[in-house]
Amino acid sequence: MTPGLVVIGELRDGRPTEASREAAGVAYQLAAGAPVTGLLFGSPEDSLTSSWARDGISEVCFLPPPTDAARQAGALIPGVLSVLSERSAELVLLPSTTFGRELAGGLAARWDAGAATGVTAIHRGAAGWEVRRPVFGGRATETRSLSGPRAVVALRPRAFPAPEPRDLPGASTQRSMPEVGAVAKGPTLVGTEPVLTGEGPALGDATIVVAGGRGVRSADQFHLIEELAAALDAAVGASRAVTDAGWRPTSLQVGQTGRTVTPQLYIAVGISGAIQHIVGMIGSRVIVAINSDASAPIFKVADYGIVGDLFQIVPALLAEIRRVRGR
Amino acid sequence: MEIAVCVKPVPDPETRLRPGPDQRTLDVEGVKFVLAGYDESAVEQALLLRDQLPGSTVRALAYGPAPRTPEVLRSCLALGCDSVTHLEASAPVDDPMAVAAALAHVLASRPADLVLVGKQALDDEEGLVAPALGALLERPSFSSVTDLRWNPERSRFTFQRSTDTEIERWEAPVPLVIGLQQAWNDPRTAKLPNILKARRQPIDTVPAATIEAAVAGRNGRSLPLKFELPAPRAGARMIDYSTPAEAAERLVRLLREEAKVFP
Ligand SMILES: Cc1cc2nc3c(=O)[nH]c(=O)nc-3n(C[C@H](O)[C@H](O)[C@H](O)COP(=O)(O)OP(=O)(O)OC[C@H]3O[C@@H](n4cnc5c(N)ncnc54)[C@H](O)[C@@H]3O)c2cc1C
Ligand SMILES: Nc1ncnc2c1ncn2[C@@H]1O[C@H](COP(=O)(O)O)[C@@H](O)[C@H]1O
């Protein structure tokens, strides 16, 4: 029998996020022709899910969107469980984001499933699902077997390619599921503020990250990094030297006490490459370093290096990128 | 207030990583296990809250084999935890869902008002235990939490949670499970007299058989099969150039044609 496969997605501005699309693409391949159920928190009226259908989702189920009080994953679990049991699900895939990981842990506990997060590869092994995942800040990789009848797997954003749009038969059906379960009383959301990432994509979500360090010298000059990021549609990151100096908010900090990022391309500008920084970006596929000091440790982990003054190199790079990209 | 803080013995962050003889897990020969990363901050946070809330107690819990687990619990005592509980195990525990089940079993028989957990462990980085504990104990749980503070006027905690796009500010009464992602507090270090005193302090134990019976009913399992190091990076290909424009042109060409990562 084909396994019941369910993908739990996240909506941003009414559309499934890139990471949710990647999860759909993985599910489509694992299902090998069997239907894949997509699950979203929202309403069919306010969501644009046609792209998700092309990514391989055969039917989209909607659970009521989380109210403020229900922004805890725990409150969503009863509804998710009702969909899983209706579909005789065996495997749940979801993005390994803050939300996805909270949901994965709570769901696996209540569904009696094996679970893994931050997964970069998955296939069916002899004894269950086999998953690969970076550990120790990307300094090593482990393979795990998730055995038992059910598994919850959170996929690391950007570890899987964005699915090619497919010409899939049959439009996806959409339906709203009834609300199940009550929201835990107590916690109240007092307010939210956007994470300051500038114009570009969110740091944890970006295909390209351009990060600046102390070599950039001042808060004012940091806009050079932001311009470079904008030219590449990249997210902006920073070393702790930059966030400690208050040049940019801590939300941009990459490293042991900041965020771990795993983009396709990481460009480190004026960053020395202290181990506490390295552990936050070593999982990037391709690393570029620009530094005036040829002996800077960052060059040991970089794939491409330019020894030079960033105040000369970055403007030249900006000009070349704009020329090549035609804008 | 009764505060429980769950700590995992993890390899010293300076450990040179290499696969063990069976290739399945890290080689732990000669490796020192310590309290580190988010767990260290969680202990610090627990102690700070106790100072602020007279009459509170801090209890550290850890699930794992001897000697590494009692050793790490002793370091919690040396830092000032009031009591510690060792959930005994006959072998290393490496399934976070089993960890959550074991901790939930012990915390159910002696509930804490606030359960503090690291957002993710330094080694496996799963981040599953905090939300799993919340679900099993049927308490609200939050991960990726910073700036946890007690508001005495309102008898509630306030804290922030960062998602990928937003920083949320929350207020919540106990009971609560919190997965801490703390970067601001510089954890204290234990003083020598306290380290010596901790050697004589009692460690509560829950026998392995009790724990195994409590988690035996679980079906879902996660088992390590293979531990690998990445192929060493060859070191950077350094780009020769005579002008910045030439450096830029060469880099962009390599990113497009060789690495294929140019947008
Ligand atoms: C417990 C702990 C946790 C930490 N956590 C983090 C963390 O999460 N993230 C983090 O980043 N750090 C962290 N750190 C700090 C870390 O050790 C380094 O101090 C920090 O990463 C240094 O930042 P930097 O590379 O920007 O600065 P520096 O080390 O000062 O490096 C600046 C670099 O810029 C280069 N440079 C200068 N001028 C130019 C120029 N004109 N053109 C080109 N290059 C130039 C220099 O050659 C130098 O290599 C942590 C430290 C500790 C102790
Ligand atoms: N064996 C353990 N004993 C006690 N607490 C643990 C154990 N394993 C994990 N934890 C707690 O759960 C957190 C998250 O672990 P993980 O889900 O494995 O990333 C850790 O930071 C600890 O606070």
Side-chain angles (χ1 to χ4, degrees):
Chain A
M1 206 193 94
T2 47
L5 251 153
V6 174
V7 177
I8 303 177
E10 288 180 75
L11 288 170
R12 198 170 294 154
D13 303 327
R15 292 168 197 273
T17 57
E18 276 302 301
S20 309
R21 296 191 51 207
E22 290 156 15
V26 173
Y28 179 78
Q29 290 194 328
L30 290 175
V36 176
T37 304
L39 181 54
L40 293 168
F41 304 95
S43 69
E45 297 77 42
D46 301 334
S47 316
L48 223 127
T49 57
S50 49
S51 67
W52 227 27
R54 281 197 300 277
D55 296 337
I57 299 292
S58 4
E59 183 189 15
V60 186
C61 295
F62 284 91
L63 284 167
T67 56
D68 280 350
R71 282 197 187 202
Q72 322 148 49
L76 305 171
I77 291 171
V80 175
L81 286 174
S82 73
V83 175
L84 298 186
S85 83
E86 191 198 274
R87 296 299 149 118
S88 320
E90 287 180 17
L91 175 66
V92 171
L93 295 179
L94 72 180
S96 199
T97 54
T98 305
F99 169 81
R101 285 168 21 136
E102 280 192 18
L103 189 53
L107 184 61
R110 295 284 296 279
W111 199 37
D112 188 11
T117 63
V119 165
T120 56
I122 174 168
H123 70 270
R124 211 189 234 302
W129 299 101
E130 278 180 21
V131 298
R132 264 169 77 84
R133 48 193 305 279
V135 290
F136 288 95
R139 289 195 292 144
T141 307
E142 67 171 15
T143 305
R144 279 179 175 267
S145 156
L146 301 180
S147 61
R150 293 172 288 275
V152 179
V153 175
L155 305 174
R156 186 172 283 240
R158 292 301 99 92
F160 299 88
E164 301 280 324
R166 292 186 184 84
D167 204 6
L168 290 171
S172 78
T173 52
Q174 307 202 335
R175 64 197 184 103
S176 296
M177 306 293 292
E179 180 140 25
V180 190
V183 171
K185 291 217 175 47
T188 41
L189 184 68
V190 188
T192 62
E193 40 197 280
V195 172
L196 298 171
T197 55
E199 302 286 294
L203 193 49
D205 215 36
T207 311
I208 304 181
V209 173
V210 179
R214 200 197 309 271
V216 180
R217 277 196 221 138
S218 70
D220 283 350
Q221 280 156 299
F222 202 83
H223 83 107
L224 206 53
I225 302 299
E226 284 151 353
E227 270 182 64
L228 184 57
L232 290 165
D233 300 324
V236 176
S239 74
R240 178 153 164 190
V242 168
T243 54
D244 275 359
W247 299 349
R248 287 300 180 267
T250 46
S251 53
L252 300 191
Q253 184 181 316
V254 172
Q256 186 184 313
T257 42
R259 282 176 180 267
T260 302
V261 296
T262 51
Q264 291 290 307
L265 174 61
Y266 187 89
I267 305 184
V269 183
I271 293 178
S272 60
I275 182 67
Q276 296 89 356
H277 186 80
I278 301 289
V279 296
M281 45 68 87
I282 187 75
S284 309
R285 190 162 86 71
V286 176
I287 298 171
V288 171
I290 300 171
N291 196 304
S292 51
D293 175 3
S295 64
I298 189 78
F299 288 121
K300 292 212 178 66
V301 298
D303 299 279
Y304 301 105
I306 297 180
V307 178
D309 178 2
L310 72 91
F311 294 103
Q312 294 187 358
I313 302 292
V314 173
L317 200 50
L318 259 172
E320 177 66 7
I321 290 165
R322 290 186 178 139
R323 189 183 70 76
V324 170
R325 300 196 74 194
R327 49 173 152 140
Chain B
M1 181 176 303
E2 179 126 356
I3 303 169
V5 45
C6 303
V7 298
K8 177 178 188 177
V10 291
D12 186 310
E14 305 292 315
T15 300
R16 226 192 95 221
L17 304 180
R18 53 166 188 240
D22 62 0
Q23 308 291 316
R24 291 160 77 94
T25 51
L26 172 73
D27 188 355
V28 294
E29 178 72 35
V31 168
K32 190 170 174 305
F33 282 84
V34 295
L35 171 70
Y38 296 119
D39 295 5
E40 196 181 15
S41 296
V43 170
E44 175 69 21
Q45 176 77 73
L47 297 172
L48 290 175
L49 286 171
R50 183 186 61 186
D51 294 345
Q52 203 194 336
L53 289 158
S56 298
T57 56
V58 174
R59 173 198 192 194
L61 300 97
Y63 177 28
R68 66 177 82 154
T69 311
E71 269 167 20
V72 164
L73 286 171
R74 281 207 194 282
S75 68
C76 294
L77 285 169
L79 287 169
C81 292
D82 299 289
S83 68
V84 295
T85 303
H86 177 196
L87 287 62
E88 292 179 329
S90 43
V93 270
D94 38 30
D95 180 349
M97 298 309 296
V99 169
L103 290 169
H105 174 76
V106 172
L107 285 167
S109 63
R110 188 179 140 194
D113 301 298
L114 174 68
V115 178
L116 287 179
V117 180
K119 173 200 158 196
Q120 58 182 38
L122 191 76
D123 50 356
D124 71 14
E125 299 180 339
E126 294 270 22
L128 288 167
V129 170
L133 261 183
L136 293 171
L137 296 171
E138 295 184 27
R139 286 164 175 210
S141 97
F142 295 83
S143 265
S144 305
V145 165
T146 56
D147 214 12
L148 178 69
R149 288 163 204 267
W150 176 251
N151 181 331
E153 285 87 54
R154 300 181 46 81
S155 293
R156 282 160 168 257
F157 281 102
T158 60
F159 55 90
Q160 299 192 346
R161 173 171 70 169
S162 34
T163 69
D164 295 310
T165 50
E166 280 182 331
I167 297 171
E168 304 168 340
R169 280 179 289 116
W170 286 86
E171 209 181 71
V174 294
L176 204 54
V177 178
I178 294 285
L180 268 186
Q181 172 185 19
Q182 203 66 282
W184 55 263
N185 60 12
D186 286 321
R188 68 193 70 189
T189 46
K191 299 205 176 61
L192 185 61
N194 294 342
I195 295 174
L196 297 176
K197 197 174 120 208
R199 288 203 193 142
R200 297 187 307 271
Q201 280 169 279
I203 290 182
D204 301 331
T205 54
V206 185
T210 309
I211 301 294
E212 276 152 26
V215 303
R218 285 191 47 79
N219 283 304
R221 293 226 158 83
S222 168
L223 186 83
L225 291 182
K226 200 163 186 193
F227 185 89
E228 292 164 281
L229 298 181
R233 289 189 188 251
R237 162 107 70 94
M238 304 309 277
I239 293 171
D240 291 331
Y241 63 96
S242 45
T243 63
E246 192 186 357
E249 192 257 321
R250 290 200 172 156
L251 177 63
V252 168
R253 179 145 33 83
L254 285 166
L255 294 180
R256 287 176 85 181
E257 291 169 13
E258 189 178 86
K260 300 201 187 334
V261 285
F262 197 78

